Amino acid sequence: MTPTEYEYLRKFLKDNSGLDLSADKQYLIESRLLPLARKAGISGIAELVQKLQGGSRQLITDVVEAMTTNETFFFRDKVPFDHFRDHIMPEIIKARASKRSVRIWCAAGSTGQEPYSLAMCLKEMSAALTGWRIEIIATDLSQEVLEKAKAGVYSQFEVQRGLPIQMLVKYFKQTGETWQVNPELRAMIQHRQLNLLHDFSQLGTFDVIFCRNVLIYFDQDTKINIFNRLARQIEPDGFLVLGAAETVVGLTDTFRPIAERRGLYKPNDPRAAAAKPVLAGAAPRLAVMAGR
Ligand SMILES: C[S@@+](CC[C@H](N)C(=O)[O-])C[C@H]1O[C@@H](n2cnc3c(N)ncnc32)[C@H](O)[C@@H]1O
């Protein structure tokens, strides 16, 4: 790969998915894109770049998806789900006692283990939620992972990662070598394609936003931009949950960490955040990925 081709791909990925690759990630690009090129009958990186420059829509989607990291598992990191069960939901149940509704957004939910883990937590506390309207919206950039999330079918290996055996027995049905999430749990989640670089105000406001292990791939300006826009989509008493390697500290004052609850944040004042200018550089600009 020539330096010019690498620079083109770096910029292409940053503009289309937010992925911020350092100057020495040629091997990563090659390991992910050469198999894709081969499958598409493309001779190598040079021809791939030419075709991207030509605007091949399917190829643009395929390249962006091939470069995403979709690693996830049930109840990943455990602590956020303990917080969800023991702190977030008890507060929400109190605060929304008359409205009896809760909206949860699982941004970058990948193949579904994260939103299904949240759905299982809610099912486990169903006695306190009788008569409540529960909405879980799971979004991801990648259509491929969303298809898997929607189907809710997991291998033996996948269900052995993080999922307690009682939950497996209770909420999944075994079919041959795979396990499928039961229809009731699947019906709790709406799956939608969404690029976090794009406007997401149409989703409305949420009581809880899980946005974990995706912002780590973005540069600082993109993170700030997304935090500021997330702040507008969260109720003033809502919660933002980030991944273990992510924080708002030093980036924005739209959220503040909750002491002694790692990964949990509260919005400071979303209305004030709304008045802040959105930084250039991460502005929504990819029409190609929209509306799919
Ligand atoms: C490492 S997974 C994290 C999954 C889950 N949140 C977790 O913590 O287990 C990151 C996900 O972010 C998605 N992603 C990457 N860039 C994105 C973007 N610009 N907008 C929305 N999702 C994106 C990827 O497709 C991938 O499924």
Side-chain angles (χ1 to χ4, degrees), residues 33-83:
L33 298 189
L34 283 176
L36 187 154
R38 219 169 293 131
K39 232 165 102 191
I42 294 170
S43 60
I45 297 292
E47 192 187 341
L48 185 91
V49 166
Q50 263 175 22
K51 288 210 181 317
L52 288 175
Q53 285 166 335
S56 166
R57 199 187 152 101
Q58 185 58 49
L59 193 63
I60 290 172
T61 302
D62 291 347
V63 166
V64 167
E65 295 211 2
M67 291 304 299
T68 57
T69 298
N70 308 122
E71 164 72 358
T72 187
F73 49 95
F74 290 102
F75 296 96
R76 182 178 188 174
D77 300 338
K78 192 176 172 297
V79 172
F81 298 95
D82 292 344
H83 287 335

Side-chain angles (χ1 to χ4, degrees), residues 72-76 113 120 154-169 172 174 177-179:
T72 187
F73 49 95
F74 290 102
F75 296 96
R76 182 178 188 174
Q113 286 90 332
M120 283 183 264
Y154 299 97
S155 67
Q156 186 71 40
F157 174 71
E158 287 167 324
V159 296
Q160 274 166 354
R161 293 184 77 196
L163 187 64
I165 186 81
Q166 334 68 278
M167 295 275 199
L168 177 65
V169 171
F172 289 73
Q174 187 169 21
E177 309 245 295
T178 59
W179 294 82

Side-chain angles (χ1 to χ4, degrees), residues 16-263:
N16 287 276
S17 69
L19 179 64
D20 182 36
L21 291 176
S22 55
D24 58 349
K25 289 284 193 293
Q26 287 84 348
Y27 72 92
L28 183 66
I29 293 219
E30 285 179 346
S31 69
R32 302 247 183 122
L33 298 189
L34 283 176
L36 187 154
R38 219 169 293 131
K39 232 165 102 191
I42 294 170
S43 60
I45 297 292
E47 192 187 341
L48 185 91
V49 166
Q50 263 175 22
K51 288 210 181 317
L52 288 175
Q53 285 166 335
S56 166
R57 199 187 152 101
Q58 185 58 49
L59 193 63
I60 290 172
T61 302
D62 291 347
V63 166
V64 167
E65 295 211 2
M67 291 304 299
T68 57
T69 298
N70 308 122
E71 164 72 358
T72 187
F73 49 95
F74 290 102
F75 296 96
R76 182 178 188 174
D77 300 338
K78 192 176 172 297
V79 172
F81 298 95
D82 292 344
H83 287 335
F84 181 70
R85 190 193 53 227
D86 302 336
H87 182 72
I88 298 178
M89 282 312 295
E91 278 211 10
I92 300 275
I93 287 170
K94 235 191 278 162
R96 308 281 183 273
S98 54
K99 199 171 149 206
R100 288 183 163 207
S101 101
V102 56
R103 295 195 81 223
I104 300 164
W105 177 19
C106 191
S110 191
T111 41
Q113 286 90 332
E114 188 173 62
Y116 286 127
S117 300
L118 292 171
M120 283 183 264
C121 289
L122 291 168
K123 274 277 167 207
E124 292 296 301
M125 55 178 79
S126 55
L129 290 169
T130 309
W132 278 59
R133 182 184 149 82
I134 296 170
E135 255 188 283
I136 306 175
I137 298 181
T139 62
D140 200 280
L141 168 75
S142 161
Q143 195 62 48
E144 200 180 320
V145 298
L146 282 172
E147 293 306 324
K148 180 171 164 97
K150 260 184 237 173
V153 176
Y154 299 97
S155 67
Q156 186 71 40
F157 174 71
E158 287 167 324
V159 296
Q160 274 166 354
R161 293 184 77 196
L163 187 64
I165 186 81
Q166 334 68 278
M167 295 275 199
L168 177 65
V169 171
K170 197 163 169 187
Y171 297 111
F172 289 73
K173 184 170 180 268
Q174 187 169 21
T175 320
E177 309 245 295
T178 59
W179 294 82
Q180 184 170 32
V181 178
N182 76 28
E184 209 186 322
L185 212 67
R186 267 186 285 147
M188 289 174 72
I189 302 169
Q190 299 169 51
H191 302 271
R192 294 196 204 160
Q193 198 269 343
L194 184 133
N195 187 337
L196 288 167
L197 299 190
H198 295 172
D199 180 24
F200 43 67
S201 58
Q202 76 283 0
L203 293 181
T205 52
F206 294 89
D207 304 296
V208 186
I209 300 178
F210 267 60
C211 184
R212 302 197 309 139
N213 303 306
V214 60
L215 300 180
I216 34 166
Y217 300 106
F218 301 165
D219 71 6
Q220 191 157 312
D221 283 355
T222 310
K223 283 182 204 174
I224 295 169
N225 175 284
I226 293 173
F227 282 137
N228 289 346
R229 289 185 294 121
L230 285 176
R232 295 174 210 163
Q233 304 312 130
I234 202 156
E235 294 294 337
D237 59 349
F239 294 87
L240 171 70
V241 185
L242 297 179
E246 296 158 334
T247 182
V248 301
V249 176
L251 293 178
T252 176
D253 56 6
T254 48
F255 290 96
R256 63 176 188 281
I258 302 180
E260 287 169 35
R261 297 200 192 273
R262 193 164 53 84

